[in-house]
Amino acid sequence: MPQSLAKVYLHVIFSTKDRTPFVSPKNKPTLEAYLVSVAFNLGIYTEEIYINPDHLHWLCTLPRTLTIADMIQKVKIPSSNKMTEIGPKEFHWQKGYGAFSVSQSKLEIVKKYIQNQERHHQHMSFQEEYIKFLEEYGIDYDTKYVWD
């Protein structure tokens, strides 16, 4: 019987609406665990995740049965609802996202990058970091539309 098999890794990045620092050290572990759980139930396996006060980095697999846009939507909506439950009530994710392909051979490098987010942001803002990703991946963008 023929099979359709795939193993696609993505480094997903998106921010809170207007990059407001909604995620506190108190609610960060709950949000991370919830997002990983929602993803797992969709067949998405999390390799690494780090949620900063105003954005997240998520290294995960893309299920064969979902588009990237569907995957992001199916994770953003329930995790946003969870945050409004645990506070703050005005929490929202930004509308957009970045999804960058990751080679199997680069998984450990990307995991370490995500684990060291706190250190990275002592020297670089989220906006600078995100633009750097767009440029490294050769993605055309217009700064008028990058941020909500």
Side-chain angles (χ1 to χ4, degrees):
M1 173 184 248
Q3 291 182 330
S4 299
L5 304 169
K7 187 79 168 228
V8 178
Y9 293 99
L10 294 176
H11 181 177
V12 177
I13 304 170
F14 52 84
S15 75
T16 58
K17 183 154 180 58
D18 299 321
R19 292 158 317 283
T20 304
F22 283 128
V23 183
S24 70
K26 179 182 162 207
N27 57 24
K28 175 185 180 325
T30 302
L31 180 58
E32 286 177 343
Y34 187 77
L35 194 143
V36 168
S37 173
V38 166
F40 182 80
N41 290 333
L42 295 167
I44 304 162
Y45 300 99
T46 298
E47 297 289 330
E48 193 64 58
I49 190 167
Y50 191 95
I51 302 180
N52 290 282
D54 65 347
H55 72 284
L56 70 73
H57 287 261
W58 181 31
L59 177 60
C60 63
T61 59
L62 173 66
R64 193 179 52 74
T65 57
L66 291 176
T67 66
I68 295 171
D70 287 340
M71 179 185 90
I72 301 295
Q73 180 185 31
K74 289 176 183 286
V75 169
K76 273 187 178 180
I77 291 171
S79 63
S80 184
N81 292 340
K82 182 67 170 179
M83 276 298 286
T84 59
E85 272 179 37
I86 63 174
K89 301 286 184 224
E90 52 284 325
F91 180 88
H92 293 285
W93 292 117
Q94 75 173 122
K95 290 179 186 171
Y97 62 86
F100 307 95
S101 61
V102 177
S103 165
Q104 175 86 33
S105 64
K106 302 293 185 194
L107 282 180
E108 290 306 314
I109 292 167
V110 176
K111 283 182 187 180
K112 285 185 172 93
Y113 180 84
I114 292 171
Q115 291 165 353
N116 289 315
Q117 276 295 291
E118 205 170 315
R119 188 168 357 131
H120 293 304
H121 290 295
Q122 291 172 351
H123 309 287
M124 182 184 296
S125 72
F126 166 64
Q127 290 93 324
E128 293 167 328
E129 175 188 47
Y130 191 69
I131 295 298
K132 182 179 169 193
F133 269 94
L134 296 176
E135 290 173 353
E136 284 179 6
Y137 275 82
I139 298 172
D140 292 329
Y141 64 92
D142 184 333
T143 54
K144 288 189 296 189
Y145 304 107
V146 172
W147 318 112
D148 311 313

